[in-house]
Amino acid sequence: MTTPVLQAWRVSKSFGAERAVDQVSLSVQAGTATCILGPSGAGKSTFIRCLNFLERPEDGYVFIDGDPLGFDRRGDVFHEISSRRLARQRQKVGMVFQQFNLFEHMSAIDNVIEAPCGVRGVRRADAIEKGMELLRKVGLAHKAHSLPRELSGGQQQRVAIARALAMEPRLLLCDEPTSALDPEMVHEVLNVLGELVAEGMTMIAVTHEVGFAREVAHRFVFMERGAVIEEGPSSNLSVDGVREDRTRSFLEKVL
Ligand code: ADP
């Protein structure tokens, strides 16, 4: 077995007395897409945010390409690394949010080139060339100079995907990427994500779109009350295909 692109090992996170994520482990191989499903409040969002340290796990480790995120491993001992080195490590992980989180005062192309220019020091002309390629890929080259408020929700989310890709991440995390969209715009975003998966992008997505999970993703994880109840190949994602009663009763409600 090759080293997973991402491995979470017993990741836990509490808010006050509540354990939002309780010892969750996950392994994701290169070129695969994993969907995290589960009822509201299950800890899905907290868990995916732990995977790039938007939430710092209080326990457990996240390994990216075998390297522990936020730590230096010397033998069996883990030493915390500087925030600067952590920032560099985190560049390997792209993220797409429910609410897009674009810079409102910047055009689509400026949103896309902001991190490559600002963080990586890529020359502006080169970043624009690559950024335009990415906007073309998500079908929005013609909107390069529009501000977010001049774009539909679906278009804003596609710009956000292009922006995440601009840093050439090893892994793309998507936290309910279509939940804030009007129904008619959901498919345009799912189509873009589906194309990325078909091209071999490694992806983890929290989503309520069971159809997407079954047809596009390779694996699913079902979470409830901070824990993984079941995981398996996405082809099992049907009322008759899943193993656990709790997964089945969730699917019965949403399918
Ligand atoms: P899901 O994404 O499955 O809906 P979340 O990860 O958003 O679940 O939330 C899991 C639990 O953690 C919920 O009970 C939620 O209220 C709590 N929680 C999430 N984020 C915070 C926060 N920043 N502060 C306090 N509690 C939080």
Side-chain angles (χ1 to χ4, degrees):
M1 197 96 148
T2 50
T3 306
V5 170
L6 176 126
Q7 191 162 25
W9 188 77
R10 295 191 180 176
V11 166
S12 297
K13 177 78 187 174
S14 302
F15 297 107
E18 187 195 351
R19 207 139 225 235
V21 175
D22 191 12
Q23 302 209 10
V24 172
S25 297
L26 176 69
S27 189
V28 172
Q29 292 292 332
T32 67
T34 302
C35 281
I36 304 177
L37 308 170
S40 181
K44 307 180 299 294
S45 177
T46 304
F47 175 63
I48 204 169
R49 290 164 64 84
C50 281
L51 299 181
N52 67 352
F53 276 31
L54 276 176
E55 299 284 0
R56 186 126 193 176
E58 72 208 20
D59 221 345
Y61 294 98
V62 175
F63 299 87
I64 309 287
D65 287 328
D67 297 324
L69 191 58
F71 297 91
D72 221 356
R73 179 166 43 183
R74 292 184 215 131
D76 283 341
V77 186
F78 288 68
H79 300 270
E80 224 168 289
I81 59 175
S82 66
S83 52
R84 205 180 158 144
R85 276 185 64 201
L86 174 62
R88 213 164 34 234
Q89 269 189 329
R90 291 178 68 208
Q91 289 175 24
K92 284 183 150 195
V93 186
M95 182 122 184
V96 174
F97 301 89
Q98 184 175 347
Q99 298 293 345
F100 328 134
N101 293 11
L102 295 175
F103 299 110
E104 291 298 326
H105 60 291
M106 287 186 191
S107 66
I109 185 67
D110 283 342
N111 264 281
V112 173
I113 68 170
E114 194 268 343
C117 292
V119 178
R120 271 218 183 130
V122 175
R123 275 182 41 219
R124 192 175 157 83
D126 295 339
I128 288 178
E129 192 180 325
K130 168 95 192 295
M132 286 304 297
E133 216 175 276
L134 290 170
L135 285 177
R136 214 167 292 126
K137 191 182 179 76
V138 300
L140 287 174
H142 62 298
K143 296 287 186 185
H145 301 291
S146 300
L147 290 169
R149 66 167 176 272
E150 297 164 339
L151 300 173
S152 71
Q155 290 172 333
Q156 288 186 57
Q157 192 59 301
R158 286 188 279 147
V159 172
I161 293 168
R163 181 180 61 176
L165 296 176
M167 291 296 275
E168 301 177 328
R170 279 287 283 153
L171 170 72
L172 188 64
L173 306 178
C174 304
D175 188 6
E176 297 202 22
T178 61
S179 295
L181 300 177
D182 291 333
E184 72 271 21
M185 290 169 190
V186 168
H187 75 276
E188 71 189 48
V189 169
L190 293 182
N191 284 348
V192 166
L193 294 176
E195 280 165 24
L196 292 176
V197 174
E199 287 170 13
M201 185 79 207
T202 311
M203 191 182 291
I204 303 174
V206 172
T207 183
H208 297 292
E209 299 289 335
V210 179
F212 175 81
R214 190 169 39 210
E215 281 139 41
V216 175
H218 302 91
R219 298 192 59 79
F220 78 93
V221 172
F222 176 73
M223 283 181 72
E224 201 179 69
R225 294 189 190 173
V228 173
I229 305 299
E230 175 169 359
E231 64 173 293
S234 54
S235 52
N236 285 4
L237 264 178
S238 65
V239 169
D240 298 327
V242 292
R243 223 175 34 234
E244 298 291 329
D245 288 343
R246 281 183 283 179
T247 319
R248 186 170 305 114
S249 82
F250 172 79
L251 289 177
E252 276 166 353
K253 280 184 215 131
V254 298
L255 282 177

